[in-house]
Amino acid sequence: MSIPAPTRMRSRDVVRVGGAGLRSRPLRVFLSALGIAIGIAAMLGVVGISASSREDLNRQLAALGTNLLKVSPGQTMFGESSHLPAEAEGMIGQISPVTAVTAIGTTSAHVYRNERIPEGQTGSIAVTATRLDLIQDVGAALVSGSWLNAATERYPAVVLGAKAADRLGVVAAGPDQRVWLGGQWFTVVGVLGPAPLAPEVDTAALVGWPVAEQRLGFDGYPTTVFARAREESVTAVRDVLAATANPAHPDEVEVSRPSDALAAKQATDATLNALLLGLGGVALIVGGVGVANTMVISVLERRAEIGLRRSLGATRGQIRLQFLAESLLLSAIGGVGGVVLGIGVTSLYATFQGWPSIVPLWAMLGGFVATLVIGGIAGFYPAVRAARMSPTEALAAP
């Protein structure tokens, strides 16, 4: 009498048998899957938050433009502070690819919430003379009140930058909102939102150029000149700005591109992201160790089951496949949970920061595939160990 060949397990049977093994130990399965989920969520969260931050930066630059150049005084050859000529703004405006020029000038005055504040508590707020076209040229926006005009630039009126308004405790502009500026009262006519391309504006109390010269002892020298150039000519304009702004001493002029500073910040953040990705990878490996531990203990606890299945005709390959399927299913559960958790963390953080929420598809697929690979590696040894047990050895185990 011939012995029938062992029945080959179908894919559905493999999943069913593997799932039955996991259902018998729900708490242990949950804890092992949680380790995998935390690792995947950490990695996916880092990638998603980084991508969301990058997209927000790209949108900012698209809205603000990358063609803004900033000219400021440097130092003399003796290490002393220099200043831009009073004509620098006009000379820069003569460069043909330059489409807009504006300037600000720092005064020696200070601003306080009222006249009773001690002089030393300036809050690091600069009182700055400004041209009327500053707001549109640097991409700033009002959140309250109005910008200076041809009338208010000659009177004690002030527009506060975002941080300056916060430090002075001014929530909104209005005729009853006044600050003690340069030893006299100035009415707050406007409050600006953040200006990413001109951070010096955020901490400034902005007054008109004429009133700064008449009432605050301003010398008329611009401390920063902002110039917009045609996109295709930005590099060429940048190369000639120093010599144009100060022909006598071009070496005493500093020229920068504010959008480069934002890009540099993004590059700095990338270093931190790499560190966090490494920590996520460690968490994922720890989760894999948890899967391996669960499967090894499972093999030891289920020796009687293994022996019974072997005695009923199950082959070593089928036993090996059963335990490998359990390991892969356990990892897949953790992977799916980690992807969902990572998307949730990214969405919450991006929403809190006001960013667009972006989780790259490759990161989700890559994270899930990584869990299956780790699950396969973690479950390989326990599966092989289970398959090597003989029926008599397994059934005789206590």
Side-chain angles (χ1 to χ4, degrees):
M1 180 177 175
S2 61
I3 300 175
T7 304
R8 186 174 182 179
M9 293 180 69
R10 294 172 295 181
S11 300
R12 183 176 59 186
D13 296 328
V14 173
V15 174
R16 180 175 55 81
V17 172
L22 296 181
R23 286 194 298 271
S24 64
R25 303 175 311 283
L27 181 59
R28 190 182 301 164
V29 167
F30 171 76
L31 293 177
S32 298
L34 182 62
I36 289 284
I38 291 174
I40 290 297
M43 298 180 71
L44 198 61
V46 170
V47 173
I49 290 172
S50 177
S52 299
S53 173
R54 191 177 302 111
E55 180 62 21
D56 179 67
L57 174 63
N58 292 337
R59 291 186 182 185
Q60 281 190 51
L61 293 180
L64 300 172
T66 58
N67 62 336
L68 182 67
L69 295 167
K70 184 169 73 172
V71 182
S72 55
Q75 292 183 330
T76 67
M77 61 182 299
F78 300 106
E80 300 175 350
S81 298
S82 63
H83 63 76
L84 296 174
E87 304 81 13
E89 189 180 352
M91 291 188 293
I92 291 173
Q94 297 300 315
I95 304 174
S96 57
V98 172
T99 58
V101 182
T102 191
I104 57 175
T106 302
T107 73
S108 58
H110 297 294
V111 59
Y112 307 92
R113 191 66 182 90
N114 55 58
E115 73 276 20
R116 298 183 182 87
I117 305 297
E119 290 186 5
Q121 297 181 12
T122 63
S124 300
I125 302 172
V127 177
T128 303
T130 180
R131 300 297 190 189
L132 295 182
D133 51 3
L134 174 75
I135 187 170
Q136 59 263 29
D137 287 354
V138 302
L142 284 161
V143 296
S144 177
S146 59
W147 179 242
L148 299 171
N149 55 43
T152 54
E153 72 167 347
R154 299 179 178 277
Y155 292 94
V158 60
V159 175
L160 300 176
K163 292 182 180 178
D166 181 64
R167 293 172 187 176
L168 290 171
V170 177
V171 178
D176 58 339
Q177 285 286 359
R178 298 191 304 168
V179 292
W180 187 250
L181 194 156
Q184 53 197 295
W185 290 107
F186 272 64
T187 302
V188 179
V189 297
V191 176
L192 295 176
L197 295 184
E200 55 268 78
V201 173
D202 290 343
T203 55
L206 302 161
V207 299
W209 207 277
V211 76
E213 292 179 320
Q214 295 164 11
R215 300 195 179 202
L216 304 177
F218 177 47
D219 58 13
Y221 292 115
T223 51
T224 304
V225 177
F226 298 97
R228 291 272 183 186
R230 291 197 293 268
E231 290 285 353
E232 67 276 8
S233 304
V234 171
T235 302
V237 171
R238 185 175 185 172
D239 292 340
V240 301
L241 270 180
T244 304
N246 192 349
H249 301 285
D251 55 313
E252 297 178 4
V253 178
E254 294 182 355
V255 179
S256 61
R257 191 175 182 179
S259 57
D260 290 346
L262 293 179
K265 180 180 180 298
Q266 187 71 38
T268 303
D269 291 343
T271 303
L272 179 61
N273 291 339
L275 174 61
L276 295 177
L277 278 174
L279 294 176
V282 171
L284 190 58
I285 293 173
V286 171
V289 172
V291 172
N293 181 60
T294 297
M295 296 311 301
V296 168
I297 294 175
S298 177
V299 170
L300 295 176
E301 290 179 343
R302 296 161 64 190
R303 285 178 291 183
E305 175 194 334
I306 295 170
L308 180 60
R309 291 199 62 202
R310 288 296 308 278
S311 64
L312 293 176
T315 65
R316 289 174 181 249
Q318 289 173 339
I319 297 296
R320 185 167 52 244
L321 187 60
Q322 173 190 349
F323 282 89
L324 191 58
E326 286 188 25
S327 177
L328 290 173
L329 283 173
L330 177 57
S331 298
I333 292 171
V336 171
V339 169
V340 173
L341 183 59
I343 293 174
V345 169
T346 300
S347 299
L348 286 175
Y349 188 82
T351 301
F352 178 76
Q353 294 289 340
W355 299 342
S357 180
I358 296 177
V359 181
L361 179 61
W362 63 264
M364 291 187 286
L365 294 177
F368 185 73
V369 170
T371 62
L372 295 182
V373 171
I374 288 179
I377 295 174
F380 180 76
Y381 170 73
V384 170
R385 180 173 179 174
R388 286 178 177 174
M389 285 187 180
S390 65
T392 53
E393 175 191 354
L395 289 172

